[in-house]
Amino acid sequence: MDRKGVFTLSEGKGLSALGLEAGEVVGHSAYEVYKGDPKIQENIKRALAGEDFEESVEVGGGPGAGRIFETRYMPIRNGSGEVTGMLGVASDVTARRQAETELLHVAYHDSLTGLPNRMLFEDRLEVALSQAARSKFMLALLCFDLDRFKNINATLGHSAGDKVLTTVASRLRKQISEGDTLARLGGDEYVLLLPQVPGAQFVAQLSERVLKSLHPPIKFRRQELHITTSIGIALYPSDGKNAQTLLKNADTALHRAKERGRNMYQFYASSMNVAAFERLLLENQLRRALERNEFAVHYQPMVDLSTGRIVGVEALARWEHPDLGLVFPIDFIPVAEQTGLIIPIGEWVLRTACAQVRKWHEAGWRDLRVSVNLSARQFQDVNVSELLSRTLKDTGLPASSLEVEITESTAMHRVQDTIVLLKELKKTGLRIAIDDFGTGYSSLEYLKDFPADALKLDKSFVADLVRDASDAAIAATVLSLTHNLGMKMVAEGVETKEQFEFLRAKGCELAQGYLFSRPLPASELQSLLARSRKKGLLPK
């Protein structure tokens, strides 16, 4: 073009990329052709003023709007050095830049939900922390974890899991403001960065909205999936001044929210670190205990109240700690549940108990049965039917001599699936008992559908039934209910003669408790079995 910006020559593919023909520009002012793009007009002026430069330009208006060019602007000079015109060389790089943008998005975003991934989140967190340090703002970090998400993948498949993850991401997006960062770190883990918050109350209110947003069920095919989340919260600067500390403390608070019952939020407190350390120590010791065979099974007799004879035993795990001595389940089972160690521990207890009762059968006590607890984690994460079948086959114990106990709350979780599984187990010939009855949230509508042989009345109702009319009424009502459903009742925690007499008078068939015997190692139970056969264990 000449010194006035009028095109004098045009060739190459540049015009076609702009949707123009040579005749549309030669003889016309570049300022007129690009009247809709002030940036290109400014570049032409710079070149005609004598500046030689390169620049990447996205056409903002006029022909080719939206396309990206890498352009070299070169002034043309005469022999005296005066600028007489300008030569422009442009390459259309639109496709390449779009590909680079897409690759960059893939590198920094989660492919399933489209949310920022861990890499992008960590970059934004570092920037936000630097800004918060300069401006003295409070910053909040919220870690999310979907409650019992593994059950969805295990029962309905990964397509259902993906549907849940994308729906949750969509609902969470609607709760946050521009400038906040919601990221998916992997699996069912999300994290939310609030770079500037007025106070903890604001974060609490947002957390409440998040919990509420997940209440509506997610529809997958013909299923309605009910999803909840637990949230752990850490605040800058009180809970940490760097990314690593804040993430660790938010995660600690998240675990505390799960321990307290899930579907809630929990702010971090420094005391949690002490509890977390103790929990980690216990977890490591439990893993070593499995490797070193430190676990044992004790057996508590189950007594027929009409004869005083032992008809069964409940297998109870004990930990023979090398330094602490005998550790009872209440002190280690919760950690085993949370960490998944309950699965190998529970399988070992089941196999050990079945093998031991098989030995007692061979020694003459052929009617003796064993009752083994299945934990909620086993019920959810293990193929229970296959586990029980394999154990009975390996140990040679008849199915009719094994009673499986599940707690009331476990039975009522995913109740329809539970009923199907229990009916499947019942067909094999083994017995089923509902443990801790009265402490959960059973619905009588479903209880009648459970193929259970026995209900175990929780010891909390047995303890005061002689002195407390309400507990006595509950015990009598449960007993009547049990009989009407064709089951037997087992009273737990019987410790006094008065409790025994009350229960027997009301028609309770079976009981266990310290009145008859504490849980005993197998070696000590043998003599008690012989005594029960000769004289019975009923109090005089």
Side-chain angles (χ1 to χ4, degrees), residues 257-295:
K258 285 187 171 295
E259 290 170 2
R260 292 182 58 197
R262 299 183 172 89
N263 192 26
M264 65 173 62
Y265 63 89
Q266 176 70 57
F267 283 90
Y268 172 77
S270 58
S271 59
M272 292 180 185
N273 272 337
V274 176
F277 176 77
E278 292 174 349
R279 179 180 176 277
L280 180 61
L281 182 63
L282 183 58
E283 179 183 343
N284 291 336
Q285 290 176 333
L286 276 175
R287 293 186 187 280
R288 288 198 298 270
L290 275 170
E291 297 168 0
R292 298 173 183 177
N293 298 315
E294 294 175 1
F295 290 102

Side-chain angles (χ1 to χ4, degrees), residues 483-500:
H483 290 165
N484 289 336
L485 291 174
M487 306 177 194
K488 291 185 177 181
M489 190 172 88
V490 183
E492 298 183 293
V494 178
E495 298 183 354
T496 69
K497 184 179 179 181
E498 291 76 20
Q499 293 168 347
F500 155 73

Side-chain angles (χ1 to χ4, degrees), residues 126-439:
E126 291 293 349
V127 171
L129 285 170
S130 297
Q131 293 174 342
R134 290 194 300 271
S135 59
K136 308 300 181 184
F137 287 142
M138 178 185 287
L139 174 152
L141 201 60
L142 289 76
C143 286
F144 303 81
D145 192 325
L146 302 186
D147 299 326
R148 300 185 178 92
F149 176 73
K150 290 181 180 178
N151 293 343
I152 294 174
N153 278 337
T155 57
L156 298 177
H158 288 283
S159 56
D162 289 350
K163 170 72 172 179
V164 168
L165 293 172
T166 54
T167 304
V168 168
S170 176
R171 292 183 184 181
L172 293 179
R173 278 194 190 100
K174 295 176 182 178
Q175 306 306 316
I176 64 177
S177 304
E178 186 178 355
D180 301 336
T181 297
L182 174 66
R184 180 185 174 213
L185 301 187
D188 61 327
E189 298 177 64
Y190 299 85
V191 63
L192 174 60
L193 168 63
L194 306 176
Q196 184 177 346
V197 294
Q201 184 63 28
F202 173 87
V203 182
Q205 291 170 350
L206 173 62
S207 299
E208 291 282 3
R209 293 201 304 273
V210 166
L211 295 173
K212 188 175 180 181
S213 73
L214 299 185
H215 285 176
I218 297 172
K219 294 183 180 180
F220 176 76
R221 296 173 185 165
R222 296 184 179 181
Q223 300 271 359
E224 283 195 348
L225 307 179
H226 295 270
I227 304 300
T228 60
T229 187
S230 300
I231 307 174
I233 305 167
L235 303 175
Y236 170 92
S238 59
D239 299 332
K241 296 184 179 180
N242 58 61
Q244 182 179 4
T245 302
L246 281 172
L247 282 167
K248 177 176 70 70
N249 290 342
D251 189 59
T252 298
L254 169 61
H255 283 292
R256 178 57 61 88
K258 285 187 171 295
E259 290 170 2
R260 292 182 58 197
R262 299 183 172 89
N263 192 26
M264 65 173 62
Y265 63 89
Q266 176 70 57
F267 283 90
Y268 172 77
S270 58
S271 59
M272 292 180 185
N273 272 337
V274 176
F277 176 77
E278 292 174 349
R279 179 180 176 277
L280 180 61
L281 182 63
L282 183 58
E283 179 183 343
N284 291 336
Q285 290 176 333
L286 276 175
R287 293 186 187 280
R288 288 198 298 270
L290 275 170
E291 297 168 0
R292 298 173 183 177
N293 298 315
E294 294 175 1
F295 290 102
V297 178
H298 286 196
Y299 302 87
Q300 184 166 40
M302 199 175 301
V303 177
D304 185 322
L305 293 187
S306 63
T307 66
R309 296 187 66 174
I310 298 173
V311 295
V313 290
E314 181 179 0
L316 300 165
R318 297 290 187 266
W319 179 10
E320 296 175 339
H321 194 286
D323 300 319
L324 302 176
L326 197 64
V327 181
F328 290 89
I330 193 172
D331 296 318
F332 68 86
I333 290 297
V335 173
E337 283 272 9
Q338 294 159 14
T339 60
L341 290 171
I342 193 64
I343 293 175
I345 293 172
E347 185 170 347
W348 180 87
V349 169
L350 173 67
R351 180 174 293 273
T352 300
C354 288
Q356 177 60 57
V357 174
R358 172 65 177 170
K359 290 179 182 178
W360 281 325
H361 281 194
E362 294 171 351
W365 287 280
R366 296 190 178 278
D367 294 332
L368 191 69
R369 65 175 181 268
V370 62
S371 185
V372 180
N373 294 277
L374 282 185
S375 74
R377 190 71 177 263
Q378 285 176 291
F379 216 66
Q380 295 162 13
D381 296 352
V382 174
N383 186 330
V384 172
S385 182
E386 193 277 332
L387 169 64
L388 294 171
S389 176
R390 184 178 70 246
T391 303
L392 290 171
K393 181 180 178 180
D394 292 348
T395 60
L397 185 71
S400 58
S401 298
L402 175 61
E403 182 174 75
V404 171
E405 291 187 18
I406 61 171
T407 63
E408 181 184 8
S409 55
T410 299
M412 293 304 296
H413 179 66
R414 299 182 64 88
V415 64
Q416 294 294 353
D417 293 338
T418 301
I419 291 172
V420 171
L421 177 56
L422 292 182
K423 287 182 176 179
E424 179 185 340
L425 296 179
K426 196 74 174 68
K427 289 178 182 177
T428 67
L430 54 74
R431 295 171 56 85
I432 296 169
I434 307 298
D435 193 16
D436 297 341
F437 188 79
T439 62

Side-chain angles (χ1 to χ4, degrees), residues 495-511:
E495 298 183 354
T496 69
K497 184 179 179 181
E498 291 76 20
Q499 293 168 347
F500 155 73
E501 290 175 343
F502 176 94
L503 292 164
R504 185 166 67 168
K506 294 295 183 181
C508 180
E509 296 90 353
L510 303 169

Side-chain angles (χ1 to χ4, degrees), residues 83-96:
V83 176
T84 59
M86 187 271 291
L87 174 64
V89 180
S91 299
D92 185 359
V93 295
T94 306
R96 191 183 82 196

Side-chain angles (χ1 to χ4, degrees), residues 420-474:
V420 171
L421 177 56
L422 292 182
K423 287 182 176 179
E424 179 185 340
L425 296 179
K426 196 74 174 68
K427 289 178 182 177
T428 67
L430 54 74
R431 295 171 56 85
I432 296 169
I434 307 298
D435 193 16
D436 297 341
F437 188 79
T439 62
Y441 43 90
S442 284
S443 165
L444 297 182
E445 176 187 358
Y446 292 118
L447 186 59
K448 64 183 176 62
D449 294 325
F450 285 125
D453 299 281
L455 292 183
K456 301 190 75 173
L457 182 65
D458 187 72
K459 61 184 179 182
S460 62
F461 297 108
V462 174
D464 291 325
L465 59 78
V466 176
R467 297 184 298 271
D468 190 315
S470 296
D471 281 353
I474 290 173

